[in-house]
Amino acid sequence: MRIQRVVARAFGPFQNETLDLAPGLTVIAGPNESGKSSWHAALRLAITGLRRGKGPGTAVERELALRHKPWDQPDRWEVEARMQLDDGRTIDVTQDLANKVACRAVDVDLGRDVSDEILDGTPDASRWLGLDRDSFATTVSVSQAQIMAVADAAEGLQEHMQRAAATHGADVTAAEAIARLEQFRRDAVGADTVAAKGPLRTARNRLTAAAAAHDQARQAHADFLERAAAVESSERAAQSARLRLAGAEAAVARMQAAEASARAARAAELQARHPAPPPTLAASDELAARAAAAVDGYRNRPAAVDLSGPTTDALQAELDALPQPPTGDVRPHPSVVAAQHAVSLAVQALHLLGDRPAVEPNPAPGWDAPALRELAATLGQAPLPEASDFEAQLAGLRRGSSAAARPQLLFGGACLLAIVSAGLLVAVSAPGAVAVALLAVALGAAGAWSLSRSRATADALARAEASVEPYRRARAAATERRDAALGRARASGLPEDAAAIAELADRVAAIAVQRDALIRWEARHAELQGQLLTARHDLAAALRDRGEDLAADADPAAAAATYHAACESRSALQRLADRAEALRHQLHARRAAEDAAAAARRRAHEAAERLRAVAAELEITATDAEQLCAAVEHWREERSGALQANQRALAEWQQLQALLDGGSLADLQGDAERRRQRANELAAALAAEAIALPTGVQSDEHLAALRREAQQLEREHDVARGALDAQRAALPDVAEAEEAADAAQRELERVEGLAATIDTTLGLLRAAQERVHRDLAPVLARAVLRWLPVVSGGAYVEVSVDPASLHVRVKESATGQWRDARYLSEGTREQVYLLLRVAMAEHLVSTGERAPLLLDEVTAQCDGERKRQLLDVLHAISGERQVVLFTHDDEVAAWALDSLASPQDALVRLDPRPVGAAFTIGAPSTAEPPLVPLSVD
């Protein structure tokens, strides 16, 4: 594959610019800001394009777009290239980098779209090399900052290295066999993870389930035996509870019999003491009750209430003097405040926008800045020199060709003299024959020299004619372009000087910027005016919603200020009106306090009057209320002693009646006898130690607890026996579960054996694949070693390359030590890895095509001697594959001027202009006459 040209339709600073490339080595030189990096990126993207996909793309793609999208037209990003494939086809590849839609690859000779051959979302011409976008960028397209990136991309290049190894014939089927065996292992064995569903995990799960079922069966039998033992234990517990209940019932019967005998004895004693009911004294007669109430009322009379503070009349007068609550907003409503804020923001925005910008008139009507710059570039190109010297050289060669002796005549004369010499040798004498033979040899030598000279002159004439004709066409085309540009300038009234037109283009560009600023200002000004009108309308609507009477032509801002003042006034009235509620509460509390004080005085007076009335009935005389209260208390104590003796007699009589409970003493004694007999009957069936109650336990509560316990144990025993019977019916077969576990174990062993066999086979195949790497390593090493002694000045004479990681080790010629190339000096390291990229570009291509090399600033870290050696190596490589070298180094440009020959090689110089013009210089070969020193495209 050789790239003939790349056209930047819209790429970075370029608009419809073309860069032609030589088939061998093309050196593109220029200072900073001349577009080298843009041309390098355009060249790579013209071949590979960009991957089509949803979203903003990768970080690398976003950075690429930010760096190389057109400056003036970011929506248009297009590049194309023409390339010559090694199979003879000429292909035009067009890449729509912005939209990734209008992308295609066309066979120029047939006019046929061949995009489907290299389609990867968008056309990717690196697929004709057997590569992809990433591997192309890693190996073929090289910049100074990315020389070491090939080692970082080793993993991604493994597929291409395997394909290259297979192409070289080293264990072609190892990778395919590994892939098939791995697929068979996934199908027949599967992974051994929890979420896997293959045969191995299925066999393990089956064995786990069978073992669990076996354990469950054994556990079920063990549980059954434990439950049977628990049933027996529950039966014994129920029997023990029934025995405890019977003993407690016997003990309770004995206790109740003793209590009945004690009640009968007490009843006999009380009946003997009180054969008749005792007389009843009025323990709570009316007088005693009134005396107690009088004393209590006097002792507990309310204390006098102390009243202080304003009176009810003063509070009522203050309340009557307060104003009524106002109607309307006492605080500005949020809707009005928000509308005012919106108006203020709109006014501030208009103020910040500033005055209307001024725009100058266009000094070149009908022309824009790019067109003027293109016109200036055309007029600024220097005219090519006349071809008179070349024509004179060409005429001299033609004359020399015509004047040259014909070698056929000389050869004929030599043959004739040779025949004469033979005749003389036979017929006359040897000396004459020798003389004639020498003359024949001389004529033959002259004929050979003449033939060689004739051929050299013909070749020189052919080369001169081939070189002069393109020069004539190029000079005529350049003159035609400049005359056409000059005519357009005169027709439009423009100056004919390129610098003046370039200055005019700058003015037109500045005016375009002013016009764009004016358009943006007018759009923003209209937008802000609309916002201000809307905000004022919203403010007027908000004020009307709050009840403000606003005329149609009234200023909403002034009305809002009036509204705020009214809110302040109503707020002051509201604060005064709010005072009324507090005064009402204070007035209510004062009235309640005065009523409470009057009620307290009234109750205290009534208590004293009741005490005097009771004392008068008891005929107690005294003037002081306290003395009356003490005398009444003394009378109550004397009366209390007599009441207590009467109450004791009444209590014993009531106890007797309670014991008899409506019956007689004989009935009570008969009940005690029956209880003794019942207790003896219950105790007769039990042992003596079983008849007992815990100390301090109530008999009824204890009996109820024992009954509940016995019933609970009976129920638990019945439930346990029922569950045992149900479990007996559902017991699993232990032998059957054991057989299922054995079958699952055998299946797992079968699958594991198959997995071991496959893994062993895979190990052997991977060893074979390792052999592929071992076969590929010397290939890469030999390719690097081919040029390593040259670029390193003989410092390193051996090299090894690890295909798995692309790490390079080199052997020092001086010490014989092996060194890791990553830790050499920066210049040497980059030279070694550049050679590795050359080797990768040569051996990773698996389609029969030859990959070009696109190099950007790869000599930056070289000293002068290493730089020339590396350039000589690249020149030699360009005889096998196309090499494009971008550089800013004047030494590299000088080397190219001395060493490159057109048309096989070219030197392209870029000017540091926004749109750079390119021209090509080819240096004459040292083996040929300097016939054509200049070739311009």
Side-chain angles (χ1 to χ4, degrees):
M1 175 189 293
R2 295 183 185 271
I3 306 166
Q4 296 180 350
R5 67 168 178 259
V6 59
V7 181
R9 296 297 181 196
F11 196 97
F14 302 125
Q15 293 288 331
N16 296 320
E17 292 294 322
T18 301
L19 179 65
D20 291 320
L21 304 176
L25 174 59
T26 302
V27 176
I28 303 171
N32 293 333
E33 302 299 330
S34 61
K36 297 188 302 300
S37 298
S38 297
W39 277 121
H40 183 267
L43 189 57
R44 176 168 71 88
L45 293 181
I47 297 174
T48 65
L50 289 177
R51 186 177 288 104
R52 179 186 296 163
K54 297 181 179 179
T58 65
V60 174
E61 291 174 347
R62 293 195 298 270
E63 176 67 18
L64 194 66
L66 289 175
R67 287 176 57 86
H68 297 297
K69 271 193 173 183
W71 301 343
D72 298 328
Q73 298 177 335
D75 294 335
R76 182 171 177 247
W77 191 19
E78 301 173 8
V79 65
E80 67 180 53
R82 171 166 292 186
M83 60 189 67
Q84 182 76 34
L85 300 182
D86 292 342
D87 61 8
R89 291 186 293 172
T90 301
I91 306 294
D92 276 352
V93 179
T94 302
Q95 302 286 2
D96 177 9
L97 303 175
N99 303 310
K100 304 180 183 68
V101 175
C103 303
R104 63 188 178 276
V106 178
D107 188 324
V108 176
D109 297 328
L110 301 179
R112 182 181 303 164
D113 193 314
V114 294
S115 301
D116 56 345
E117 296 182 16
I118 56 171
L119 199 60
D120 183 17
T122 58
D124 178 11
S126 67
R127 294 168 68 90
W128 274 319
L129 302 172
L131 303 176
D132 55 27
R133 293 183 176 93
D134 295 333
S135 58
F136 185 88
T138 306
T139 56
V140 175
S141 178
V142 186
S143 67
Q144 178 190 1
Q146 297 174 339
I147 291 179
M148 296 296 296
V150 65
D152 300 332
E155 182 177 356
L157 293 172
Q158 289 301 311
E159 178 183 352
H160 302 288
M161 287 193 287
Q162 291 290 335
R163 189 182 299 115
T167 304
H168 285 84
D171 202 335
V172 176
T173 61
E176 181 179 0
I178 289 173
R180 291 184 179 180
L181 269 179
E182 288 177 345
Q183 181 61 42
F184 176 73
R185 192 187 192 285
R186 286 192 291 271
D187 297 337
V189 178
D192 192 11
T193 60
V194 176
K197 298 182 180 179
L200 178 59
R201 175 47 57 178
T202 301
R204 289 194 188 280
N205 293 340
R206 180 182 174 189
L207 176 60
T208 302
H214 182 230
D215 294 341
Q216 186 177 5
R218 296 178 59 185
Q219 185 63 37
H221 277 270
D223 291 344
F224 177 77
L225 295 177
E226 291 181 3
R227 184 165 291 181
V231 169
E232 294 179 0
S233 177
S234 65
E235 184 176 5
R236 290 193 297 270
Q239 291 176 354
S240 177
R242 288 194 295 271
L243 181 60
R244 288 195 302 274
L245 177 60
E249 288 177 343
V252 169
R254 280 186 176 180
M255 183 177 63
Q256 291 176 349
E259 291 175 353
S261 298
R263 285 196 300 274
R266 178 64 176 168
E269 178 186 356
L270 292 177
Q271 189 172 15
R273 188 181 301 167
H274 302 288
T280 302
L281 295 178
S284 58
D285 57 83
E286 182 183 358
L287 180 59
R290 285 192 285 108
V295 170
D296 291 340
Y298 182 77
R299 296 293 187 197
N300 298 321
R301 68 188 183 278
V305 177
D306 181 23
L307 295 176
S308 61
T311 63
T312 55
D313 294 338
L315 292 174
Q316 184 64 48
E318 186 178 357
L319 180 62
D320 294 340
L322 292 177
Q324 294 297 320
T327 58
D329 294 339
V330 296
R331 285 187 299 274
H333 195 267
S335 62
V336 176
V337 175
Q340 278 186 292
H341 183 63
V343 171
S344 178
L345 290 179
V347 171
Q348 291 179 7
L350 279 171
H351 178 71
L352 293 175
L353 182 61
D355 298 333
R356 176 188 182 93
V359 178
E360 299 179 15
N362 188 356
W367 288 83
D368 57 7
L372 289 171
R373 291 193 179 98
E374 182 179 2
L375 181 63
T378 303
L379 292 176
Q381 291 180 347
L384 299 178
E386 294 290 342
S388 56
D389 293 339
F390 299 152
E391 296 287 353
Q393 292 179 13
L394 186 60
L397 287 174
R398 287 173 181 160
R399 289 193 299 272
S401 177
S402 300
R406 295 185 179 274
Q408 294 84 359
L409 297 176
L410 296 176
F411 282 126
C415 292
L416 180 60
L417 289 176
I419 294 172
V420 172
S421 174
L424 290 176
L425 181 61
V426 174
V428 184
S429 63
V434 170
V436 174
L438 290 175
L439 182 58
V441 170
L443 286 176
W449 178 85
S450 178
L451 178 61
S452 174
R453 181 61 180 171
S454 176
R455 288 178 179 176
T457 303
D459 290 343
L461 179 61
R463 286 195 299 272
E465 289 178 345
S467 300
V468 170
E469 183 58 31
Y471 185 84
R472 293 195 192 102
R473 291 196 299 269
R475 187 175 185 281
T479 303
E480 182 180 355
R481 287 195 299 270
R482 193 177 188 283
D483 292 343
L486 189 60
R488 290 198 305 273
R490 290 170 177 170
S492 300
L494 300 177
E496 299 179 6
D497 180 58
I501 294 178
E503 182 179 356
L504 187 62
D506 293 338
R507 289 184 56 197
V508 170
I511 292 171
V513 172
Q514 295 175 357
R515 187 178 299 107
D516 291 340
L518 175 61
I519 293 173
R520 291 193 298 271
W521 185 90
E522 290 176 345
R524 181 60 177 164
H525 187 270
E527 179 185 357
L528 293 178
Q529 285 286 1
Q531 292 178 1
L532 179 58
L533 291 176
T534 301
R536 287 177 174 172
H537 178 269
D538 292 343
L539 177 58
L543 290 172
R544 292 189 183 95
D545 290 342
R546 305 315 302 164
E548 295 296 322
D549 187 10
L550 192 65
D553 57 347
D555 182 10
T562 304
Y563 168 75
H564 277 277
C567 288
E568 288 291 335
S569 177
R570 286 191 292 267
S571 177
L573 290 177
Q574 185 63 46
R575 287 193 295 272
L576 292 176
D578 291 342
R579 171 78 177 143
E581 189 63 25
L583 286 175
R584 290 190 188 94
H585 285 293
Q586 188 176 359
L587 178 61
H588 179 73
R590 178 66 183 190
R591 286 173 177 170
E594 291 179 353
D595 293 343
R601 289 193 300 271
R602 184 176 62 255
R603 287 196 300 272
H605 177 72
E606 290 175 352
E609 291 300 321
R610 283 195 298 272
L611 181 62
R612 289 188 179 91
V614 169
E617 291 184 22
L618 295 177
E619 297 180 353
I620 298 174
T621 57
T623 58
D624 185 58
E626 291 292 335
Q627 294 177 354
L628 288 176
C629 184
V632 172
E633 282 286 341
H634 180 69
W635 178 83
R636 290 183 62 222
E637 291 174 359
E638 290 179 349
R639 186 173 181 79
S640 176
L643 290 175
Q644 289 177 0
N646 183 253
Q647 288 173 355
R648 282 194 297 272
L650 289 174
E652 290 179 351
W653 174 259
Q654 291 174 355
Q655 183 181 8
L656 175 60
Q657 298 305 312
L659 291 172
L660 295 177
D661 194 19
S664 62
L665 180 60
D667 295 336
L668 190 60
Q669 292 172 344
D671 179 66
E673 182 62 26
R674 287 191 298 274
R675 288 182 180 278
R676 281 195 298 272
Q677 293 176 358
R678 173 63 179 165
N680 293 333
E681 291 174 357
L682 293 174
L686 300 172
E689 62 273 10
I691 304 173
L693 278 174
T695 304
V697 176
Q698 297 293 328
S699 60
D700 294 340
E701 295 178 359
H702 187 60
L703 283 177
L706 289 177
R707 289 191 185 97
R708 288 193 299 273
E709 181 185 8
Q711 293 170 359
Q712 178 66 25
L713 291 175
E714 289 286 350
R715 287 194 297 270
E716 291 176 357
H717 173 66
D718 294 339
V719 171
R721 180 163 293 281
L724 183 64
D725 295 339
Q727 186 177 7
R728 182 184 290 109
L731 274 178
D733 190 340
V734 178
E736 181 180 352
E738 188 172 358
E739 291 178 359
D742 292 340
Q745 180 65 36
R746 290 193 296 273
E747 174 63 16
L748 178 59
E749 290 174 353
R750 183 192 70 79
V751 177
E752 288 179 338
L754 177 61
T757 302
I758 296 174
D759 291 341
T760 301
T761 307
L762 282 172
L764 295 174
L765 288 174
R766 290 193 177 101
Q769 191 179 39
E770 177 65 19
R771 185 60 203 172
V772 171
H773 277 172
R774 291 187 178 276
D775 291 338
L776 180 60
V779 174
L780 295 177
R782 284 194 298 271
V784 175
L785 187 59
R786 178 183 178 187
W787 307 108
L788 179 62
V790 178
V791 300
S792 66
Y796 303 100
V797 293
E798 291 188 41
V799 63
S800 66
V801 181
D802 183 358
S805 61
L806 293 181
H807 285 173
V808 181
R809 294 173 60 83
V810 293
K811 187 176 183 180
E812 287 182 341
S813 58
T815 64
Q817 296 292 324
W818 285 92
R819 307 294 185 188
D820 191 331
R822 293 174 298 171
Y823 305 123
L824 300 177
S825 66
E826 188 169 3
T828 303
R829 179 181 68 229
E830 291 188 356
Q831 292 161 9
V832 170
Y833 274 93
L834 177 60
L835 294 180
L836 177 60
R837 281 180 177 264
V838 174
M840 299 287 283
E842 177 180 357
H843 293 286
L844 293 193
V845 174
S846 58
T847 60
E849 292 285 334
R850 287 172 296 176
L853 289 175
L854 312 178
L855 312 177
D856 184 16
E857 299 291 1
V858 296
T859 63
Q861 301 298 331
C862 300
D863 56 31
E865 182 63 26
R866 293 281 183 90
K867 186 180 301 181
R868 287 188 295 274
Q869 293 169 350
L870 181 59
L871 291 172
D872 290 339
V873 168
L874 293 178
H875 194 193
I877 292 173
S878 70
E880 304 170 358
R881 66 189 66 253
Q882 186 182 33
V883 179
V884 180
L885 173 62
F886 292 85
T887 182
H888 73 285
D889 194 337
D890 292 337
E891 292 184 12
V892 177
W895 173 90
L897 189 62
D898 293 337
S899 304
L900 300 185
S902 177
Q904 180 65 19
D905 305 320
L907 169 62
V908 178
R909 291 190 182 273
L910 300 178
D911 294 332
R913 294 190 302 231
V915 180
F919 60 91
T920 305
I921 301 177
S925 172
T926 56
E928 300 292 342
L931 297 177
V932 186
L934 183 63
S935 174
V936 179
D937 183 10

